[in-house]
Amino acid sequence: MSAAFLHLTSLQALTVFFLLLAVLVADAEGRNHVYGCPSFSCGYLRDVSSPFRRRGDPPGCGVPSYELVCTDAKATIRNLSGTFNVVRISYTDSTFWVVESDWGTQRSCLLPRVRHASEYESVDGSPNRVGTTWRTWAIFVNCSQPMENNGIYKPVACLSTNSSFIYVTTSFRYPRAANFEPSCGYLTTTPLGGPGMMVPENASYPDIVKFMRKGFALRFPISGGIGECLAEWMRKFRKDTEPSNSTGINDRIVEILFIDTRFWVCVCQVLQLYQLTIPPWFIPITIADMWILKFILVLCRFVLMPLTVLMFLAHKYWKTRITIDAVEKFLQMQKMLSPTRYAYTDITAVTRHFSDKLGQGGYGSVYKGVLLPGNIHVAVKMLGNSKCNGEEFISEVATIGRIHHINVVRLVGFCSEEMRRALVYEYMPNGSLDKYIFSSEKSFSWDKLNGIALGIARGISYLHQGCDMQIVHFDIKPHNILLDTNFIPKVADFGLARLCPKDNSFMPMSAARGTIGYIAPEMISRSFGVISAKSDVYSFGMLLLEMVGGRRNADPHAESSSQIYYPSWVYNRLTQPDVGEISGAVDMHELEKKLCIVGLWCIQMRPHGRPTMSEVIEMLEGGADALQMPPRPFFCDDETIPEVASYYLSSELNAIEEEDE
């Protein structure tokens, strides 16, 4: 039995129970009258009671159609298209046995009265309520010619004549004649046996006569009648709710909605049998209630139940999908922790065939791209065809590829196919720092500027001390400081960077590297000291002074020769008694003064006179009052500014040009 059937049975059986309870309450008076009728004896039958009655019993006792005619020797009933003797009544299985009354006990050649099987289906003229309980029928046919080679039908010699040949057969459950010759026709039929009595098929006529003399069983309404209707309803319900391949969903809905019609017809017939009355409003109201419950049941079964299952499956799917998405996101993040090698076709797809150019650098062009899946925006730098490309490419991948810091730009991937090389970085939507600090309008507040300087210092300090190998950038300048969406600075462009052990205090270098204006003196002449991480400190100091003043350190368009070299001008302003602001008419801001002092400490000529980047961070995190003025840098002497500055600037330029060659 399916789960749907169990669900429907439990709900509808509960509904029918309450409806039956209401019927019984409404009919209490009539029922008490029926149950008050005494039992009686009829012939050799004892303790006969409802639904049977005797002639002359009160109207409320028994069913009129089950009236018995009683004599001392027998009990007869006259409602089966003739007169039958009632030989036994069983209240256990609600059956009574009858035999045709005109069959004598000595006759050995019997033929039932001519009638059809439907005449046995009712005692009181109400079909489909009181039916037979037998399973075997005896079917008689009359032929004008003898049958030949037909093993199904057995001849009845005692009933046959020279012109009429009678045959009989037994049929299990189906009371109809079939498979006989054209000269034959149906004659009559009779049921055989009942509960506990099985008649074999293909029995001989003498065996059939033995069963005919014992009679056959008929069912009668069980006590109260309504229970029989409920049993009939359950049988019909089970049949209509079993799965069927021949009916569609619309037919199934109609079957379920109209399944109770038989039950209510049965209830009305039983009430009529017992001559009981109920209020006229009861049946319409109960039928309406039943239809409402049916509608709710159909709605639950065919709408709400599938919808619930669908929602459950959707919930399971999305829960699984979220888990898969979380795993995929984790795997993507793990993949992004180390640079990925891309094919050149991937690079063209990411950049949409290099359609969105962000800028042009000394070593190639930069394009905007999108990585799938995830729609991750990236910046793709295509390296040009110069002799430094291989060295810069190796330097970028070897250094930035192992770095993960909030203030260092991340290398997402790279491409190297023959001479085509590309570096894929995370995209910085706010571009580089130089377009903000050299703008005609002040872009950042002093607090924001101090925060940016602190972020840059932390990024450089991480390169110097946070990795397994010390990384010296050698090209710290505003153009190589990128800003993300929240203006968090990130150190970028590691084409000139070098790796060295942390315990090494100097780095062997065959040629100067860097950008004019930011390159440390020891990169030009070893007489100033050895090349080390302090070279990045010098470049950071020059960057810091440019961030404060909003101008480049060497300005050929300055108003006087004393202002051409910007650090010298800053130092003079800080050491004069009437200290003023650098580029305005108001007093110098505290953060402005602090940034200038830190910058001057970083650009000391000798590397041992400069602080480390960790010390620079401490100075930027503290206040200006705690800082001391550094010694005057050698380039800041007024008498030597034009000559020395010019000499070292030209020397730097020549060195860089020699390296490029």
Side-chain angles (χ1 to χ4, degrees):
M1 191 177 297
S2 64
F5 173 74
L6 290 174
H7 174 70
L8 291 171
T9 302
S10 59
L11 180 59
Q12 294 201 356
L14 183 63
T15 304
V16 172
F17 169 76
F18 286 110
L19 293 176
L20 291 178
L21 183 62
V23 171
L24 294 176
V25 171
D27 300 333
E29 182 178 355
R31 294 294 183 194
N32 291 335
H33 182 64
V34 172
Y35 296 151
C37 297
S39 59
F40 59 93
S41 298
C42 187
Y44 49 82
L45 300 176
R46 299 291 182 267
D47 297 325
V48 180
S49 61
S50 178
F52 298 97
R53 55 174 281 131
R54 292 175 301 183
R55 182 177 299 176
D57 283 348
C61 291
V63 179
S65 300
Y66 288 84
E67 185 173 280
L68 300 178
V69 177
C70 302
T71 64
D72 294 338
K74 61 182 178 181
T76 59
I77 189 171
R78 299 178 180 274
N79 297 78
L80 287 168
S81 300
T83 303
F84 287 80
N85 295 333
V86 180
V87 297
R88 191 174 68 208
I89 298 176
S90 174
Y91 289 96
T92 303
D93 53 12
S94 301
T95 59
F96 65 105
W97 290 69
V98 297
V99 180
E100 291 200 34
S101 60
D102 57 351
W103 288 350
T105 57
Q106 303 299 324
R107 292 178 57 186
S108 60
C109 191
L110 301 178
L111 180 68
R113 289 182 180 274
V114 177
R115 58 172 60 90
H116 293 278
S118 60
E119 299 181 49
Y120 295 101
E121 290 293 323
S122 175
V123 174
D124 60 350
S126 300
N128 299 325
R129 181 182 59 78
V130 182
T132 57
T133 60
W134 57 84
R135 302 179 64 187
T136 307
W137 296 77
I139 305 169
F140 292 83
V141 295
N142 185 11
C143 302
S144 59
Q145 297 179 2
M147 287 188 183
E148 296 181 0
N149 301 325
N150 194 326
I152 298 177
Y153 290 89
K154 308 296 181 182
V156 183
C158 64
L159 297 177
S160 300
T161 63
N162 293 332
S163 59
S164 178
F165 302 91
I166 308 300
Y167 294 87
V168 65
T169 186
T170 54
S171 176
F172 179 74
R173 189 177 295 177
Y174 303 107
R176 60 175 180 268
N179 300 324
F180 51 79
E181 297 178 1
S183 62
C184 300
Y186 172 78
L187 181 59
T188 185
T189 186
T190 184
L192 301 176
M197 182 183 295
M198 295 297 297
V199 180
E201 290 197 55
N202 204 23
S204 63
Y205 177 70
D207 293 333
I208 294 175
V209 170
K210 294 179 182 179
F211 285 104
M212 291 171 62
R213 287 192 178 280
K214 296 179 181 180
F216 56 88
L218 295 175
R219 288 190 306 163
F220 61 81
I222 61 177
S223 179
I226 303 294
E228 177 64 26
C229 297
L230 179 58
E232 180 69 18
W233 175 85
M234 290 297 294
R235 287 191 294 272
K236 178 65 176 173
F237 178 83
R238 184 179 295 106
K239 177 182 178 181
D240 288 345
T241 53
E242 288 176 350
S244 175
N245 296 327
S246 61
T247 58
I249 186 171
N250 294 332
D251 296 332
R252 304 300 296 163
I253 294 175
V254 172
E255 288 177 1
I256 293 175
L257 288 176
F258 288 94
I259 196 173
D260 298 306
T261 303
R262 180 186 297 270
F263 170 75
W264 288 109
V265 170
C266 179
V267 170
C268 294
Q269 291 176 350
V270 170
L271 295 178
Q272 183 179 6
L273 284 175
Y274 289 99
Q275 300 179 356
L276 301 174
T277 59
I278 59 173
W281 49 263
F282 177 75
I283 294 297
I285 290 180
T286 52
I287 292 178
D289 293 340
M290 182 71 76
W291 272 74
I292 292 174
L293 291 174
K294 282 287 187 180
F295 175 78
I296 295 174
L297 183 62
V298 171
L299 182 67
C300 292
R301 180 179 180 183
F302 294 102
V303 179
L304 297 182
M305 186 179 296
L307 185 61
T308 302
V309 173
L310 182 62
M311 292 178 63
F312 173 76
L313 294 177
H315 171 72
K316 295 289 290 183
Y317 171 79
W318 285 116
K319 188 175 180 180
T320 306
R321 183 72 261 174
I322 289 173
T323 304
I324 294 175
D325 290 343
V327 172
E328 288 297 327
K329 185 176 180 180
F330 168 76
L331 294 178
Q332 289 294 331
M333 293 298 296
Q334 289 295 110
K335 182 179 178 181
M336 291 168 60
L337 291 177
S338 59
T340 302
R341 181 169 185 173
Y342 296 99
Y344 184 74
T345 54
D346 297 332
I347 297 298
T348 57
V350 166
T351 59
R352 298 180 181 178
H353 296 277
F354 309 103
S355 60
D356 190 357
K357 188 174 182 179
L358 297 177
Q360 181 76 30
Y363 291 98
S365 302
V366 182
Y367 301 90
K368 185 178 180 180
V370 179
L371 287 178
L372 297 175
N375 293 328
I376 302 173
H377 293 273
V378 294
V380 180
K381 181 167 73 172
M382 297 300 300
L383 301 180
N385 295 324
S386 69
K387 66 179 182 179
C388 295
N389 281 350
E391 183 181 355
E392 185 195 33
F393 179 82
I394 294 173
S395 179
E396 288 266 6
V397 176
T399 55
I400 193 174
R402 64 181 67 184
I403 297 173
H404 304 286
H405 191 270
I406 189 174
N407 296 118
V408 179
V409 72
R410 182 168 53 85
L411 181 66
V412 177
F414 59 88
C415 170
S416 179
E417 290 186 4
E418 298 178 352
M419 296 304 294
R420 293 178 294 194
R421 297 188 181 94
L423 298 169
V424 183
Y425 303 98
E426 59 177 327
Y427 175 65
M428 297 289 106
N430 284 321
S432 59
L433 181 63
D434 60 337
K435 72 177 183 179
Y436 294 96
I437 63 175
F438 298 138
S439 174
S440 58
E441 298 181 0
K442 194 68 175 178
S443 300
F444 301 117
S445 65
W446 289 114
D447 289 331
K448 186 64 176 178
L449 206 63
N450 184 76
I452 293 175
L454 189 58
I456 299 171
R458 287 171 177 166
I460 300 173
S461 178
Y462 175 79
L463 297 177
H464 292 175
Q465 300 296 329
C467 304
D468 296 335
M469 296 283 287
Q470 187 181 59
I471 301 174
V472 183
H473 191 277
F474 286 123
D475 200 15
I476 300 297
K477 59 183 179 180
H479 184 75
N480 290 339
I481 304 300
L482 304 181
L483 302 173
D484 68 1
T485 307
N486 299 319
F487 289 94
I488 295 176
K490 296 178 183 290
V491 181
D493 201 340
F494 287 74
L496 301 181
R498 286 292 181 269
L499 292 171
C500 68
K502 288 184 178 181
D503 55 354
N504 282 15
S505 59
F506 70 94
M507 298 180 62
M509 195 73 60
S510 59
R513 57 181 59 224
T515 302
I516 296 174
Y518 307 95
I519 191 170
E522 64 269 17
M523 297 290 294
I524 304 300
S525 174
R526 300 302 183 268
S527 61
F528 289 99
V530 297
I531 300 174
S532 66
K534 293 291 186 73
S535 300
D536 283 347
V537 177
Y538 182 90
S539 300
F540 175 75
M542 300 301 285
L543 167 65
L544 200 57
L545 293 175
E546 287 187 342
M547 291 172 59
V548 175
R551 50 164 286 184
R552 301 190 183 277
N553 292 315
D555 186 2
H557 304 290
E559 297 178 358
S560 62
S561 61
S562 63
Q563 298 180 7
I564 292 177
Y565 191 59
Y566 181 67
S568 176
W569 185 80
V570 171
Y571 189 86
N572 291 335
R573 298 292 293 174
L574 288 173
T575 55
Q576 289 177 0
D578 52 342
V579 176
E581 45 79 33
I582 294 179
S583 58
V586 296
D587 294 339
M588 181 180 288
H589 193 277
E590 181 182 1
L591 292 178
E592 180 183 9
K593 180 179 178 181
K594 180 179 71 172
L595 295 177
C596 289
I597 295 174
V598 175
L600 291 173
W601 272 108
C602 292
I603 64 170
Q604 294 297 305
M605 293 297 102
R606 302 288 181 178
H608 61 79
R610 304 168 200 158
T612 62
M613 287 309 302
S614 58
E615 293 172 341
V616 171
I617 294 174
E618 292 179 2
M619 288 190 288
L620 291 175
E621 290 177 343
D625 297 337
L627 298 177
Q628 295 180 356
M629 278 299 297
R632 177 186 290 272
F634 175 69
F635 288 163
C636 295
D637 291 339
D638 293 337
E639 295 80 5
T640 60
I641 287 175
E643 295 80 5
V644 177
S646 176
Y647 168 77
Y648 280 105
L649 290 176
S650 61
S651 300
E652 292 172 357
L653 179 59
N654 293 334
I656 299 302
E657 290 176 350
E658 290 176 0
E659 184 180 8
D660 291 338
E661 293 175 359

